[in-house]
Amino acid sequence: MDETTARGTEPQRYAVDLFAFWHPSVWGLETVADIKELGARDPRRLWDRLLTLVTDSGVQAIEVTFAPFDWRTAVAAYGSLSGLLAELDARGLAIVSGYLPSLEDPVALLPENRASLLEAVGGYVDFLAAVGATALVGSAPLRGTRGAITASFVDLATASRLAVPFHEIGAICQRAGIRFALHTESHSQMWTARDIDLFMLATDPFYVGLCPDAAHIVLGGGDPVAIAAKHSDRLVTAHWKDATGPMSWDLPIDKSIHVAHREFCRVPGEGIVDWAAWAAVMKSAGLLDPVLLEIDAIDTPVESIRRAIRHLDGVLATV
């Protein structure tokens, strides 16, 4: 198929969150801990291989994420910011956004730890601005397991408390010309349609936007197209990922919950998301350049990304 899409004569650009390459077998390793060890011991070896996988998949940009697929390891791999930029330019790649894992840690969000968090965010945001990225994305901490002996609730008080660090991070981003967006992570405190409404109400739109993830919204029983359209004025970026349908709210919520999500996640075109309708909302919001794919950690990321691109090229040609 001709790569020309709704953008006219220019080929459609795609980006991918680097989480797509998180599976140990991609690296010939046994565990995720082995990937982290390789990144700490030999960042250049890891990042050379990572960027080769990225270019082989057919995307033109990336969202940096957890270490060692993070910005600090990337800079260490090439000796400096300028060295990293030269490597990206040589490969025809760009960095469009960054994911902030520390927002998932409730301890990091405590008032007594806020200064350390904000200092780290400042360095991250300065990096994103320097490489020409536009967005910083983060998820709220996990919910408590439903029915647990010690129950926890996501209510207006919860959203108001979390809005404090979210606003502070948003202000740091604004000063650097970066936009901050909350991500709709499954089983997090901002997951269901109601949760998203709650956090959009509790936060200032001048400083806090939204990064809807189509798959995670489906997993929570929501309609990703309707939610994205409802909050179209808050959209900063979006994760294009598919899902087979809703998953239970009653799973035990612990550190393994993210692995449980993978059973239900699919590449775009292999689940139930209405991608034509989703793409129309994103086009109206100016978020088609690039389309940011999120592929769950699987052992065939390059092939999966290529399948997603083939499907979405067809969809976007009609939008």
Side-chain angles (χ1 to χ4, degrees), residues 12 23 26 38 40 57 76 81 83 87 106-107 129 147 149 162 170 176 179-180 187 201 226 253 286 302 304 315:
Q12 173 65 49
H23 199 285
V26 174
L38 174 60
S57 73
L81 177 61
E87 184 68 25
V107 175
I149 293 174
L162 288 173
R179 297 182 68 191
F180 173 57
H187 291 95
L201 176 65
I253 300 177
V302 170
S304 295
V315 171

Side-chain angles (χ1 to χ4, degrees), residues 3-281:
E3 290 182 331
T4 301
T5 70
R7 293 179 62 214
T9 59
E10 297 180 30
Q12 173 65 49
R13 290 204 314 149
Y14 292 91
V16 69
D17 186 296
L18 292 180
F19 180 61
F21 305 97
W22 194 245
H23 199 285
S25 68
V26 174
W27 303 90
L29 299 172
E30 296 295 325
T31 68
V32 167
D34 292 334
I35 301 176
K36 295 179 180 178
E37 189 277 331
L38 174 60
R41 172 172 48 85
D42 195 347
R44 179 62 181 263
R45 178 184 169 194
L46 180 137
W47 268 80
D48 278 350
R49 167 73 172 152
L50 178 61
L51 294 182
T52 296
L53 291 168
V54 168
T55 53
D56 286 350
S57 73
V59 305
Q60 294 77 41
I62 58 175
E63 178 174 87
V64 292
T65 184
F66 314 96
F69 302 159
D70 63 315
W71 72 276
R72 292 187 185 278
T73 307
V75 171
Y78 299 104
S80 65
L81 177 61
S82 60
L84 170 62
L85 287 171
E87 184 68 25
L88 291 170
D89 185 62
R91 294 174 180 264
L93 296 174
I95 296 174
V96 293
S97 53
Y99 187 79
L100 182 62
S102 54
L103 282 197
E104 299 177 27
D105 180 5
V107 175
L109 298 176
L110 293 174
E112 58 267 30
N113 298 324
R114 194 77 48 75
S116 177
L117 171 65
L118 297 180
E119 181 180 5
V121 169
Y124 198 170
V125 168
D126 287 346
F127 166 82
L128 291 174
V131 299
T134 59
L136 178 68
V137 179
S139 303
L142 289 172
R143 288 173 168 272
T145 300
R146 184 156 75 165
I149 293 174
T150 302
S152 61
F153 308 101
V154 178
D155 54 14
L156 184 57
T158 300
S160 297
R161 184 181 70 253
L162 288 173
V164 176
F166 292 165
H167 285 145
E168 292 172 338
I169 291 167
I172 292 171
C173 288
Q174 280 291 332
R175 289 194 290 269
I178 300 294
R179 297 182 68 191
F180 173 57
L182 291 174
H183 176 258
T184 57
E185 180 69 28
S186 292
H187 291 95
S188 76
Q189 295 178 32
M190 200 188 84
W191 177 30
T192 69
R194 169 268 186 188
D195 297 340
I196 297 166
D197 286 346
L198 177 63
F199 277 88
M200 291 298 95
L201 176 65
T203 54
D204 186 336
F206 278 26
Y207 296 96
V208 180
L210 179 64
C211 173
D213 183 306
H216 286 302
I217 292 173
V218 167
L219 296 185
D223 179 340
V225 175
I227 288 171
K230 180 177 183 179
H231 298 290
S232 59
D233 60 327
R234 303 292 290 272
L235 298 181
V236 170
T237 184
H239 284 173
W240 296 51
K241 181 166 65 177
D242 219 329
T244 59
M247 66 185 302
S248 174
W249 290 4
D250 292 320
L251 295 178
I253 300 177
D254 54 27
K255 291 182 179 179
S256 69
I257 190 64
H258 299 295
V259 176
H261 299 156
R262 297 177 195 173
E263 176 184 350
F264 301 90
C265 292
R266 299 289 186 272
V267 302
E270 299 177 9
I272 67 170
V273 174
D274 182 343
W275 288 109
W278 170 271
V281 174

